[in-house]
Amino acid sequence: MAYDVWGVRGLYTSLGSGWTYLNAHTQPQVPEKVATAVSRSFRGAALVPPPEPVLGSHSKEALGQPEGVQYPEMARVAIADLTGVATDQVVLGPSVSALYSALVNAMKPMLRRNSSIVLNPLDRPHLTKRLRRAGLDEAWAQADLATGDLPAWQYSEIADGSTRLVSVPAAHAELGNVVRVADIVEAVRERSRAWVLVDATAYAPYRPVDLEAWGADVAAVDIAQLGGPDIAALIFRDTAMFKRLDMDALDLEVSQGLAGAVPAVVDHYASLVEGFSGRATRRNRLKYSLDATTAYLNGLRDDLHTFLGTLPAVHIVGVSGEAAADARVERIPRLAFGVTGVPSETVLQRLLANGIVATKTCATPLLDDMGVADMGGAVTIAMSPFNTQNDIEQLVRTVASLA
């Protein structure tokens, strides 16, 4: 079935304001189904359901309990479907940052004086900061400064017997390049038994998260970045890993009202595309829907690369230039670009004046090394399931007026 973008747009009442939203990486729009679920969950969290006419053994356990008690478990079930694992492999938290801190604390029984961690310049800086608080010896992987790619081969040289944790993102949140996680895991396994931690937040809105395919040990997902409530999760490869952790450190409180809306987020992404035939589990419908959605958005991304690439003053970070021209880097529908001789603040203001919402690309050591600061900064574009060809054409026309 063809992708019905206009039907998808109808799921977001916020689009009626007239703005063209291309800022999914910082402030994704909230589907009406999710907004309604949040409201309903907060209203119902403290309510005690009436007793059932016939009480079984399970009903007796819930008798007299507020509805909100069940919401975190419902959230775990939904996230398990989102990531293809069992419910007991999911640990909830208020944010990925909080969960990273909790994971480091929980791993203390595994750590020795000479334990080390492998970090990288592609991870979101605030997450790296949480991991560095562990006080472990640090080793750093390096990125390709032409493309922003994270070569996998180097991990067989960096990771060793002292390494306890290796952190990588599944995709760069702003450049859009997809990290070859499975190759990195394979390289780590050559010399180390370290756990590989994957931040899947930027990846999850576009592609199914699959720990088994990656071979990773732990993945993190921020539901807020899917247009949902401020709930995050760590997903573990195997519950046997819990025996090596201080699980009290991972016992984080989450808002019941927010947790109750998580199933609506996963249901939303699973229903973007109709026509699935087969065993209609939520996981299967989600994979079908995301495959079609990403195929559509990749077409918009390719058009944007092509049209912006024809403007001689425009530089797409990690894509433009001779060094990146022949590179084969897989990308999600996100990119960062700058206009030679025009500060990023000016580009951003021109976009806003033409009804386009984008953001200034965050300054990081990686992007500085890639020359973003030297060209006056960059602007990040991140697509959502509701974006159209008209949005891309409007963006290109506006940039062309500057370039």
Side-chain angles (χ1 to χ4, degrees):
M1 183 176 182
Y3 188 79
D4 180 14
V5 66
W6 300 105
V8 171
R9 289 180 68 85
L11 304 176
Y12 295 83
T13 58
S14 59
L15 302 183
S17 62
W19 290 99
T20 296
Y21 291 102
L22 291 168
N23 63 333
H25 62 298
T26 56
Q27 195 66 55
Q29 295 302 298
V30 179
E32 182 61 24
K33 177 188 293 186
V34 176
T36 301
V38 171
S39 175
R40 184 174 59 247
S41 297
F42 271 102
R43 287 198 307 267
L47 298 178
V48 176
E52 300 176 7
V54 178
L55 298 177
S57 58
H58 295 290
S59 299
K60 289 179 181 178
E61 294 177 5
L63 183 61
Q65 294 283 341
E67 285 187 13
V69 172
Q70 305 174 39
Y71 292 168
E73 180 62 18
M74 293 165 56
R76 279 188 284 270
V77 171
I79 293 171
D81 289 339
L82 179 69
T83 55
V85 299
T87 306
D88 58 359
Q89 294 169 246
V90 178
V91 174
L92 299 181
S95 68
V96 174
S97 295
L99 284 167
Y100 268 41
S101 293
L103 177 63
V104 168
N105 289 331
M107 290 181 67
K108 285 182 178 178
M110 301 169 52
L111 305 179
R112 301 293 182 267
R113 173 173 293 182
N114 66 338
S115 295
S116 64
I117 184 171
V118 177
L119 304 170
N120 71 88
L122 275 72
D123 263 328
R124 292 184 285 169
H126 65 278
L127 297 183
T128 300
K129 192 174 295 184
R130 294 298 180 106
L131 295 177
R132 297 186 74 181
R133 289 178 183 174
L136 304 177
D137 293 339
E138 297 173 6
W140 284 79
Q142 300 301 317
D144 184 325
L145 297 183
T147 63
D149 191 25
L150 191 62
W153 57 264
Q154 62 185 314
Y155 281 87
S156 61
E157 300 177 359
I158 299 172
D160 57 29
S162 70
T163 307
R164 295 294 176 265
L165 188 66
V166 176
S167 175
V168 296
H172 192 282
E174 296 186 270
L175 301 183
N177 47 296
V178 174
V179 174
R180 294 186 295 275
V181 174
D183 292 345
I184 290 176
V185 171
E186 183 179 355
V188 169
R189 297 285 185 262
E190 290 181 12
R191 295 185 57 197
S192 175
R193 298 175 64 184
W195 287 1
V196 178
L197 169 64
V198 182
D199 176 18
T201 297
Y203 186 93
Y206 306 107
R207 303 182 184 186
V209 176
D210 191 337
L211 259 71
E212 184 175 351
W214 286 339
D217 299 285
V218 191
V221 177
D222 187 347
I223 300 301
Q225 290 297 303
L226 291 161
D230 288 325
I231 293 285
L234 288 180
I235 302 94
F236 288 80
R237 171 180 47 80
D238 192 331
T239 55
M241 299 168 66
F242 295 156
K243 297 177 182 178
R244 303 184 63 189
L245 298 173
D246 176 4
M247 291 304 293
D248 288 340
L250 285 171
D251 187 14
L252 303 181
E253 290 189 9
V254 296
S255 164
Q256 292 180 347
L258 295 178
V262 172
V265 178
V266 181
D267 288 338
H268 168 76
Y269 279 89
S271 61
L272 289 175
V273 180
E274 299 179 353
F276 175 77
S277 59
R279 185 165 174 261
T281 63
R282 182 160 54 185
R283 174 66 177 176
N284 288 340
R285 290 186 293 109
L286 179 74
K287 292 168 68 175
Y288 175 83
S289 181
L290 285 180
D291 285 346
T293 301
T294 295
Y296 167 76
L297 291 177
N298 282 349
L300 297 185
R301 177 208 59 198
D302 292 345
D303 285 347
L304 185 56
H305 279 191
T306 299
F307 296 146
L308 286 181
T310 63
L311 302 175
V314 172
H315 179 86
I316 304 175
V317 184
V319 176
S320 300
E322 293 183 6
D326 297 326
R328 295 184 178 180
V329 179
E330 193 177 356
R331 297 183 184 276
I332 56 175
R334 298 181 179 183
L335 61 86
F337 74 93
V339 180
T340 303
V342 182
S344 58
E345 291 86 355
T346 303
V347 177
L348 195 59
Q349 289 304 314
R350 180 65 64 89
L351 293 177
L352 289 170
N354 284 269
I356 300 171
V357 181
T359 65
K360 183 178 178 179
T361 305
C362 293
T364 66
L366 170 64
L367 295 179
D368 287 345
D369 290 342
M370 294 179 73
V372 171
D374 293 338
M375 71 177 181
V379 171
T380 297
I381 299 298
M383 300 180 198
S384 298
F386 54 73
N387 286 125
T388 68
Q389 188 70 38
N390 292 338
D391 298 340
I392 301 306
E393 293 173 0
Q394 181 186 2
L395 173 66
V396 173
R397 285 195 302 269
T398 303
V399 175
S401 70
L402 288 166

